Amino acid sequence: MANTETLNQDDIRAPLVAQTVDEKHESIKQSNFMVYLSTFVAVCGSFAFGSCAGYSSPTQSAITEDLNLSLAEYSLFGSILTFGAMIGAITSGPIADFVGRKGALRVSSVFCSVGWLAIYFAEGPVALDIGRLATGYGMGVFSYVVPVFIAEIAPKDLRGSLTAANQLMIVAAVSLSFVIGNVTPWRILALTGVVPCIVLVTGLFFIPESPRWLAKTGNHKEFQAALRKLRGKDADISEEAAEIQDYIETLEKLPKAKLLDLFQKRYLRSVIIGVGLMVCQQFGGINGICFYTSSIFESAGFPADLGTIIYALLQIVITALNALFVDKAGRKPLLLVSAVGLVMGCLLTALSFYLKTYEIGLSAVPALAVTGILLYIGSFSAGMGAIPWVIMSEIFPINIKGAAGSLATLVNWFGAWAISFTFNFLLSWSSYGTFIIYAAINACAIVFVIKMVPETKGRTLEQIQAAING
């Protein structure tokens, strides 16, 4: 048994050793137009994701008044999104494996569109909640499928930047929803959520399926055609096609992975990395701070409207810069810089609330709180926001990608719910203690990244997966 496992691991590594691609020749022949177009279509799903996430904040008073909802009824409407996303996360991997990456994008677009229409026509809490649950389900599927699809179609030198565009579109959509929601009726804002879904479904007719998924399902002719369409008609795809095909054939010799198989020795490290990064991303406090930014600013004595605008602009700018530099600076350095900034941001915010609690240097409290929160948001946007999704899309072998990706995405959404649910309770217990806890968790994230996370910059998916799982 041990010899068989060793042989399998050697087989996985074998096709990677002989890889010698003439980069100069490739850059002359290869066209990335279809890669960029495919990425644009895919990140329309990310924009739809952000539209769902940003909807409830600017519409609370209007929906509550128009439909005569109680605070409890609106709270259910807001929180049920996360439960829908968890269901979407559980099913996203199997759906993407069964009907393909494009098929999964279509499924999530349909759920989001139906959900938005249910919200638009809602005359009471039941239709409102059903619509919100449906959009949450679409979010959960999008959160897994979009980065995986982009990672599987992109050349290794563009993969990080293109996958990071997923997070950029999410934060852009959240910010846009907040702005539009303040000047647009809530029903019209719901209709705008359908627009990216329509663009996505239309665009899917013009882009190829993931070549790696086609190879895995045995569609060899379609695999070659999709890879050639992505790389350009004059590109030499022979070496890349051979590497993907050899790797897929080797993985096919292994048993089909089930959920419990993820904890076998050969896959355990990649699962720990993928799930661990999602824990670091969510349990460091981002959703509590994100959902309650206005109340944090108000508690610290800073104008909430001004603080929220600065927050949104900072998040968009730094996330865009992250997308530009992730393939140059590398994943691991950006994660470490981000985690250090998160610790410092939490400690500054904790200090501001400590001073306020004990009435020491009250004039400095607003400046410290704003500096801490903005440092936290900027640091999160610089690495911890996008890069866990980039690495998650890179590290899992394709035979376990569905099950492992669903697990990592489920952990992410569970963390989002847990932090947003407990944040107000923690804040009422101890305002400065809350941020000290988050600082400690982000400090643990630094250790995790140093010890466990590999640098994946400039390597093919097959090289990454063989190195980790070998």
Side-chain angles (χ1 to χ4, degrees):
M1 188 72 175
N3 290 336
T4 303
E5 187 170 324
T6 304
L7 178 62
N8 285 334
Q9 291 172 353
D10 290 340
D11 287 343
I12 291 173
R13 286 193 291 268
L16 309 176
V17 175
Q19 184 181 357
T20 55
V21 179
D22 185 343
E23 300 287 354
K24 184 176 179 181
H25 177 73
E26 186 181 45
S27 66
I28 294 172
K29 293 284 188 179
Q30 186 167 296
S31 168
N32 290 320
F33 170 76
M34 185 54 67
V35 172
Y36 290 131
L37 177 62
S38 301
T39 300
F40 169 76
V41 172
V43 296
C44 287
S46 308
F47 196 91
F49 176 125
S51 299
C52 298
Y55 180 76
S56 59
S57 179
T59 57
Q60 179 172 353
S61 58
I63 292 178
T64 303
E65 183 179 340
D66 288 356
L67 300 184
N68 196 27
L69 301 183
S70 67
L71 180 61
E73 287 173 328
Y74 191 84
S75 296
L76 177 62
F77 170 72
S79 62
I80 203 171
L81 181 81
T82 314
F83 286 97
M86 283 193 273
I87 299 170
I90 294 169
T91 58
S92 59
I95 290 173
D97 284 346
F98 183 68
V99 299
R101 306 339 186 195
K102 287 173 62 176
L105 289 170
R106 288 190 181 98
V107 168
S108 48
S109 296
V110 168
F111 269 91
C112 279
S113 298
V114 170
W116 283 125
L117 291 174
I119 292 172
Y120 175 78
F121 289 109
E123 296 297 337
V126 175
L128 207 62
D129 292 342
I130 290 172
R132 188 71 165 165
L133 187 68
T135 58
Y137 181 86
M139 278 178 66
V141 177
F142 277 137
S143 64
Y144 167 72
V145 177
V146 172
V148 165
F149 176 71
I150 296 172
E152 290 183 352
I153 66 169
K156 62 184 180 182
D157 59 324
L158 294 174
R159 190 176 60 245
S161 297
L162 295 180
T163 309
N166 168 56
Q167 186 71 15
L168 174 61
M169 294 298 283
I170 291 172
V171 300
V174 169
S175 301
L176 189 62
S177 294
F178 186 82
V179 173
I180 295 177
N182 284 311
V183 295
T184 305
W186 62 271
R187 293 186 190 274
I188 301 301
L189 184 62
L191 281 185
T192 65
V194 181
V195 175
C197 297
I198 294 173
V199 175
L200 172 58
V201 171
T202 304
L204 288 173
F205 289 103
F206 302 97
I207 64 173
E209 178 57 271
S210 161
R212 287 176 169 87
W213 180 79
L214 291 169
K216 176 179 178 288
T217 54
N219 296 298
H220 302 299
K221 182 182 276 190
E222 292 88 345
F223 157 65
Q224 293 273 350
L227 189 59
R228 185 169 297 284
K229 190 172 183 179
L230 286 165
R231 301 295 178 256
K233 63 179 181 178
D234 296 324
D236 179 8
I237 63 168
S238 57
E239 289 196 55
E240 184 178 6
E243 181 184 357
I244 294 171
Q245 200 69 56
D246 287 347
Y247 192 73
I248 296 294
E249 289 172 3
T250 302
L251 289 174
E252 288 299 318
K253 298 174 186 176
L254 301 175
K256 187 173 181 181
K258 299 175 183 177
L259 188 61
L260 291 178
D261 295 333
L262 299 180
F263 303 98
Q264 293 179 7
K265 186 178 179 181
R266 67 165 68 98
Y267 304 131
L268 191 57
R269 185 162 182 247
S270 62
V271 172
I272 290 172
I273 293 168
V275 172
L277 282 174
M278 295 307 176
V279 170
C280 293
Q281 184 194 70
Q282 290 298 331
F283 284 87
I286 181 60
N287 272 292
I289 293 170
C290 177
F291 288 174
Y292 301 104
T293 300
S294 295
S295 62
I296 294 171
F297 284 141
E298 287 174 2
S299 298
F302 189 84
D305 292 345
L306 178 60
T308 304
I309 292 171
I310 297 172
Y311 158 92
L313 292 175
L314 181 69
Q315 192 175 34
I316 292 173
V317 170
I318 295 183
T319 304
L321 291 174
N322 171 264
L324 293 175
F325 288 108
V326 65
D327 279 319
K328 296 177 182 178
R331 282 58 152 165
K332 194 166 184 173
L334 287 175
L335 277 175
L336 289 172
V337 169
S338 175
V340 170
L342 290 173
V343 172
M344 295 174 62
C346 286
L347 291 177
L348 281 174
T349 308
L351 177 60
S352 73
F353 280 108
Y354 180 86
L355 295 176
K356 182 182 178 184
T357 300
Y358 294 101
E359 298 184 351
I360 304 169
L362 293 178
S363 60
V365 168
L368 280 172
V370 171
T371 303
I373 293 297
L374 295 183
L375 176 59
Y376 181 97
I377 294 301
S379 298
F380 185 85
S381 302
M384 198 59 76
I387 293 178
W389 293 106
V390 175
I391 294 178
M392 186 275 290
S393 69
E394 296 175 327
I395 60 175
F396 297 132
I398 199 163
N399 65 316
I400 69 161
K401 186 168 278 189
S406 291
L407 177 62
T409 308
L410 176 61
V411 169
N412 184 280
W413 280 109
F414 174 79
W417 170 79
I419 293 300
S420 58
F421 179 76
T422 59
F423 183 79
N424 277 333
F425 294 105
L426 285 172
L427 213 60
S428 62
W429 161 70
S430 172
S431 54
Y432 60 88
T434 300
F435 289 95
I436 291 174
I437 291 172
Y438 292 154
I441 295 172
N442 287 307
C444 292
I446 296 173
V447 177
F448 180 81
V449 171
I450 292 172
K451 295 286 187 182
M452 293 297 299
V453 178
E455 180 53 70
T456 60
K457 179 185 73 170
R459 304 166 76 184
T460 66
L461 295 182
E462 288 69 34
Q463 286 175 320
I464 295 165
Q465 293 153 12
I468 294 173
N469 297 293

